[in-house]
Amino acid sequence: MKFYCTALLLVFCVQISLSFGYVTRAGSREKRVCVIGAGLAGLSSARYLKEEGIDFTVLEVTEYIGGTWRYDPRVGTDENGLPIHTSMYKHLRTNLPKPTMELRGFPIPKDMPSFPTWEMYYNYIKDYAKYFDLEKYIKFLQKVINVSRKNNVWKVKYKHVKTGEETEEEYDYVIVGNGHHSKPRLPEIPGEDIFTGTIIHSHDYREPDPYTGRRVLVVGAGPSGMDISIDVAYVSSKLIHSHHSKVHFRTRFPDHFIRKPDIKEYNETGVYFVDGSYEEIDDVIYCTGYEYDYPFLDESCGLTIKPQSVVPLYKYMVNINEPSMVLIGLIVRACLVVAIDAQARYATALIKGNFTLPSKEEMLEDWQRRAEIVYSKGRPISDIHLLAEKEDKYYDALTQESGIERVPPVMFKIRTVDTEAKLENLYNYRKYVYTVLDNENFVRSFEDEMRNNTTIYSP
Ligand SMILES: Cc1cc2nc3c(=O)[nH]c(=O)nc-3n(C[C@H](O)[C@H](O)[C@H](O)COP(=O)(O)OP(=O)(O)OC[C@H]3O[C@@H](n4cnc5c(N)ncnc54)[C@H](O)[C@@H]3O)c2cc1C
Ligand SMILES: *[C@@H]1O[C@H](CO)[C@@H](O)[C@H](O)[C@H]1NC(C)=O
Ligand SMILES: *[C@@H]1O[C@H](CO)[C@@H](O)[C@H](O)[C@H]1NC(C)=O
Ligand SMILES: *[C@@H]1O[C@H](CO)[C@@H](O)[C@H](O)[C@H]1NC(C)=O
Ligand SMILES: *[C@@H]1O[C@H](CO)[C@@H](O)[C@H](O)[C@H]1NC(C)=O
Ligand SMILES: *[C@@H]1O[C@H](CO)[C@@H](O)[C@H](O)[C@H]1NC(C)=O
């Protein structure tokens, strides 16, 4: 609940924010916000917090902005002994078209291809931070090591990765943006220890060159599995792709690209699959996804964190048990950049006091309804983070509740058509050029024949 006063009376205005259990008077200490991470989630939060004149600090463990979009040829640990955060690889081009990768009000340059390389997109992120002058709000080389809730305030403890100096500060709000594509999720396959070939996770995949002329097994058919298997297949003598995806990929793969079911076990020189077949293998790349990882969140934060789920969250981001904490970017199957931008605006509107959240009971009920749908379909709780076909409705709901400008429906429409293009042909879906006409409509053309082959999509 909140009472607005006229501008003249603002000075005497008493702002009551029951949902957070404390009262602030005009003139008393300003609300302080801690943003964890300077990837897209942290940067877009910073931009909106700044625009609203809210007091905030961004804590970033590396010396860089951009998170996973900064390619680092190294694997393992960095110069400060910290695990390399980025999962970027040399040949990566975005897997979504330009319009769905755009941060609000900051156009991606026209001369960039329809599906930019990581480098182009990383430069775009750097330009964004420069344009909104965000770097001065970021404390680099600061690793957040403990976030706990005590006496209705957040205690955030962080450590300088070079000097080891520890700092503890109090904040009213915490925005968590540490990414969820960094900690490998590894399968457990019998015989792995006796296998004499190499095994890596896609987090450590950088370039195809080491696989030249070799027999390579790629495991998993998510976005990384599909993309990396194609990248490697250009140079490998054989590409064995093991997965159990029910998705009907219609791509015609080259002859040395062989589909296999799940792995049963390794022996010294190769792999038995569950259908009883065997393949000699030199190298294995697990594209088996990532785990949610929040080692700094103390129990008092009130979240239950499992490798594949973080619960309970309202609107896929607000920590229901401590609603002054928002986790940004924790969604699967969406235009993630656009969604992150919208979540950052929602979080900022919340902190600004533009709207108040429902009661904890109502938020829990809402969450339970979603969880029950997941369970009733016999799906694992990890699906609680899945937007997929619910994506556009989600944007509408964010706007209804918080008053933020709506993410236009054309974003979801483009993603839907792009998903279909990927099923049709993984080798050429990046040749499509998508041009937004208005909030509802876009035009798609094929790169080679842009001039006279245009399809207009409208509702
Ligand atoms: C290989 C790959 C390709 C992708 N391709 C696409 C794509 O084409 N299109 C798309 O929309 N999305 C893509 N994504 C998803 C991508 O994750 C998002 O686009 C987006 O970059 C997520 O931003 P983020 O800020 O949530 O996380 P990140 O970019 O991971 O940033 C998190 C930041 O938090 C910092 N941090 C972590 N822990 C701490 C700590 N304890 N203390 C302080 N700082 C910390 C990290 O150093 C990092 O800078 C891809 C992801 C990967 C891995
Ligand atoms: C984090 O800080 C809280 C409060 O000081 C403490 O109780 C907890 O043990 C700490 N957790 C970790 C992982 O250090
Ligand atoms: C692994 O199994 C295959 C198929 O059964 C066999 O041909 C190969 O010799 C085995 N490798 C070793 C080192 O035993
Ligand atoms: C909060 O509301 C004000 C007044 O309507 C608006 O100008 C501002 O953009 C809103 N902030 C956010 C982050 O939505
Ligand atoms: C249309 O496409 C065809 C085939 O790609 C090409 O030969 C022709 O010149 C194009 N016409 C125009 C007007 O661009
Ligand atoms: C336009 O391009 C699409 C995609 O390649 C193709 O399927 C279609 O046949 C083309 N149409 C014409 C008229 O060339």
Side-chain angles (χ1 to χ4, degrees), residues 65-79:
I65 61 162
T68 209
W69 285 99
R70 192 186 66 90
Y71 174 76
D72 192 322
R74 296 171 300 179
V75 297
T77 49
D78 68 10
E79 66 280 9

Side-chain angles (χ1 to χ4, degrees), residues 8-49:
L8 276 175
L9 293 173
L10 199 64
V11 149
F12 307 105
C13 177
V14 177
Q15 200 182 52
I16 303 172
S17 185
L18 287 179
S19 59
F20 300 118
Y22 64 84
V23 177
T24 40
R25 279 167 217 286
S28 76
R29 191 173 67 86
E30 257 189 87
K31 288 180 251 190
R32 292 198 65 207
V33 185
C34 179
V35 178
I36 302 172
L40 283 178
L43 291 172
S44 42
S45 301
R47 172 222 174 152
Y48 293 115
L49 291 168

Side-chain angles (χ1 to χ4, degrees), residues 149-167:
R149 186 79 178 154
K150 221 176 190 174
N151 306 328
N152 279 332
V153 65
W154 293 109
K155 293 201 185 295
V156 178
K157 201 177 193 180
Y158 54 93
K159 186 176 179 176
H160 195 280
V161 300
K162 284 198 164 129
T163 67
E165 192 190 332
E166 291 189 7
T167 311

